[in-house]
Amino acid sequence: MKLLWILYIKLLLLASINALPNITSCNSLGLIDKSKILAICETIQCNVSPDSQVYYPLDLNYSSTISHYAISSTNFSVCSVVPCTAEDLSIIIKIIGVNRVPFGIKSGGHSLNPGFSSTGGIQISMQCFSQVNYNPNDETVDVGPGLVWDDVYKQLQPYNVTVVGGRVVGVGVGGFLLGGGYSWKSNQYGLSIDTILEYELVTPNGTIVNVNNQTYPDLYFGLKGGLNNFGIVTNFKMRAFPQGQVYGGILLYTVVVINDLVNAIVTFQTNNQDPKAQILCDFTSLANSFDINIIAFYDAPTAPPNTFDVFTSILHEGQLETQSYLSLVQASPVSFTNNMR
Ligand SMILES: Cc1cc2nc3c(=O)[nH]c(=O)nc-3n(C[C@H](O)[C@H](O)[C@H](O)COP(=O)(O)OP(=O)(O)OC[C@H]3O[C@@H](n4cnc5c(N)ncnc54)[C@H](O)[C@@H]3O)c2cc1C
Ligand SMILES: *[C@@H]1O[C@H](CO)[C@@H](O)[C@H](O)[C@H]1NC(C)=O
Ligand SMILES: *[C@@H]1O[C@H](CO)[C@@H](O)[C@H](O)[C@H]1NC(C)=O
Ligand SMILES: *[C@@H]1O[C@H](CO)[C@@H](O)[C@H](O)[C@H]1NC(C)=O
Ligand SMILES: *[C@@H]1O[C@H](CO)[C@@H](O)[C@H](O)[C@H]1NC(C)=O
Ligand SMILES: *[C@@H]1O[C@H](CO)[C@@H](O)[C@H](O)[C@H]1NC(C)=O
Ligand SMILES: *[C@@H]1O[C@H](CO)[C@@H](O)[C@H](O)[C@H]1NC(C)=O
């Protein structure tokens, strides 16, 4: 992951050191001191606008900037920067680039891979980019990487629209949209990356660009699965889709019925031809108990008869019902396993 950045920054240093902006040195150690990350944190702090923050381990706001869904993905950074504008992020990445400091970029922190969004150097937390703007004229939504999907759906619900995003609570917009994105709407509209029309991107050299299929077709292609290898995304322009009430919910099973349930899953996946019907299954081993659940989803207020019979006919708790899209997404208790591993 970091290799491309390092190569890019090396080239950048060779090619364009004179193109860097005027950066004020504001600590006694001087700006170019690779071993003094703390001094570089201070340099960042006094070069960004008052909108953006720098936090240190003793600050109350520090922990949210480094925390992850799985604690095995968390590291303690020397400081965390929380940029609130693309311009400040550009200044930050230029300072990091010229000083060659290790850094990590975090949105929702749901990556299970240690080191993907964490660092012992400087943490960049995208939490301030929390915009959700529905544009009815062109049926698009501008979404910030710093949100979680349940918050996005909550803000779009009054307009009866949605985007092709996450299926359960807590998952971050940023990493999800840069990795692919399997959604409840994917059988109808494709992966999330297939529904992104434009990115606002801060490139490794600090340039802020709007990437679409006309302006930067190569970056537009690369960002569809490229995670953080091509820059830092500050806004996603996504297609909006109509969203009414849905049918579904969560069904809970014990290990006693595991064979019947596995057969039911195979039967459903083999036979289902209806793109509005989907399931998500979890096998959870926790504190010596083993539980299985199925979240069933149908993208209409009622499902055709028998759609989910293979599951409801096995002994279970919970029920399927008509509800809002948001409430279905909130149905799964995934936060139960927060901070594990
Ligand atoms: C409980 C749970 C449920 C999940 N459900 C689904 C699901 O239904 N469908 C699905 O497709 N996936 C699902 N996932 C996987 C999830 O999409 C990925 O883990 C995704 O990377 C999480 O994004 P994040 O922003 O929370 O992660 P982060 O850990 O913050 O980031 C992940 C990666 O993206 C990079 N990154 C993040 N933001 C930016 C940015 N703005 N610019 C550049 N790079 C950035 C990070 O550096 C890191 O490499 C689930 C994961 C969990 C833990
Ligand atoms: C940097 O500083 C120099 C000298 O003070 C000035 O001429 C130049 O315009 C500045 N450049 C930028 C990008 O601010
Ligand atoms: C900490 O974060 C909260 C919520 O984002 C914010 O209102 C507050 O100003 C922050 N505190 C500091 C000291 O930056
Ligand atoms: C990051 O965290 C992991 C897991 O806790 C640990 O093994 C590793 O040494 C840490 N790395 C840094 C650079 O702090
Ligand atoms: C959204 O749908 C509901 C239920 O059909 C309707 O009452 C409401 O007027 C709609 N809102 C908008 C903004 O279209
Ligand atoms: C910075 O990156 C942009 C986007 O890739 C590119 O167009 C521009 O030429 C680069 N600038 C420098 C000075 O390398
Ligand atoms: C480029 O994007 C525009 C606007 O989203 C779309 O209408 C057009 O079909 C796209 N062209 C290609 C070649 O993908």
Side-chain angles (χ1 to χ4, degrees):
M1 166 196 72
K2 286 190 177 133
L3 194 61
L4 280 176
W5 279 98
I6 290 165
L7 285 174
Y8 200 120
I9 287 165
K10 264 189 191 162
L11 289 173
L12 177 68
L13 281 170
L14 290 172
S16 62
I17 190 118
N18 294 328
L20 286 166
N22 297 330
I23 291 166
T24 317
S25 175
C26 22
N27 52 69
S28 55
L29 296 163
L31 180 65
I32 313 291
D33 185 340
K34 288 171 199 159
S35 64
K36 297 286 186 279
I37 296 175
L38 197 54
I40 293 157
C41 295
E42 289 166 11
T43 300
I44 288 173
Q45 190 158 18
C46 76
N47 279 284
V48 293
S49 77
D51 295 334
S52 302
Q53 303 294 326
V54 179
Y55 296 119
Y56 299 92
L58 293 179
D59 292 331
L60 283 178
N61 282 356
Y62 172 82
S63 69
S64 74
T65 64
I66 61 157
S67 67
H68 283 75
Y69 174 75
I71 48 169
S72 46
S73 296
T74 295
N75 278 99
F76 292 93
S77 60
V78 172
C79 71
S80 296
V81 299
V82 183
C84 289
T85 64
E87 289 72 21
D88 281 348
L89 185 54
S90 164
I91 291 168
I92 291 163
I93 206 65
K94 282 172 178 164
I95 295 173
I96 285 175
V98 80
N99 287 286
R100 312 199 44 197
V101 194
F103 66 102
I105 307 155
K106 184 173 85 84
S107 286
H110 267 51
S111 176
L112 299 181
N113 303 329
F116 265 46
S117 51
S118 60
T119 177
I122 296 179
Q123 179 80 62
I124 299 174
S125 166
M126 299 302 288
Q127 63 193 45
C128 197
F129 291 92
S130 54
Q131 66 276 11
V132 181
N133 296 313
Y134 171 50
N135 317 302
N137 295 334
D138 59 357
E139 289 299 322
T140 63
V141 184
D142 287 299
V143 186
L147 286 165
V148 293
W149 287 108
D150 25 323
D151 284 339
V152 175
Y153 301 148
K154 200 176 291 172
Q155 293 193 50
L156 293 177
Q157 188 163 271
Y159 305 106
N160 297 333
V161 299
T162 198
V163 288
V164 179
R167 288 179 293 193
V168 299
V169 297
V171 181
V173 167
F176 184 99
L177 288 185
L178 286 162
Y182 289 99
S183 172
W184 290 122
K185 314 284 278 187
S186 285
N187 284 351
Q188 296 174 80
Y189 307 118
L191 294 177
S192 293
I193 52 173
D194 299 321
T195 69
I196 301 173
L197 302 172
E198 189 168 85
Y199 305 80
E200 184 182 69
L201 181 75
V202 179
T203 67
N205 70 19
T207 309
I208 304 167
V209 289
N210 281 318
V211 175
N212 60 40
N213 65 9
Q214 306 294 314
T215 56
Y216 294 91
D218 50 351
L219 280 174
Y220 184 70
F221 177 79
L223 286 168
K224 291 176 184 289
L227 289 178
N228 57 18
N229 285 299
F230 299 100
I232 308 178
V233 175
T234 48
N235 188 66
F236 298 91
K237 187 178 283 297
M238 302 183 74
R239 277 181 71 192
F241 295 94
Q243 186 63 62
Q245 296 240 294
V246 304
Y247 180 81
I250 186 164
L251 303 174
L252 306 162
Y253 302 87
T254 66
V255 69
V256 177
V257 297
I258 187 166
N259 288 337
D260 290 345
L261 195 58
V262 168
N263 287 333
I265 293 165
V266 172
T267 302
F268 179 83
Q269 294 295 83
T270 308
N271 298 334
N272 175 46
Q273 301 287 323
D274 186 341
K276 292 183 175 177
Q278 268 195 60
I279 58 157
L280 186 61
C281 28
D282 280 320
F283 295 73
T284 306
S285 168
L286 186 65
N288 291 326
S289 89
F290 185 79
D291 300 294
I292 313 159
N293 68 57
I294 300 278
I295 310 173
F297 172 82
Y298 196 86
D299 200 5
T302 54
N306 311 329
T307 305
F308 298 115
D309 278 3
V310 285
F311 302 114
T312 51
S313 61
I314 302 172
L315 181 67
H316 64 276
E317 286 187 49
Q319 60 177 3
L320 308 183
E321 58 194 350
T322 303
Q323 55 189 306
S324 70
Y325 186 56
L326 175 64
S327 122
L328 184 121
V329 167
Q330 290 170 332
S332 172
V334 284
S335 52
F336 208 75
T337 46
N338 277 2
N339 300 317
M340 292 194 179
R341 290 185 182 79

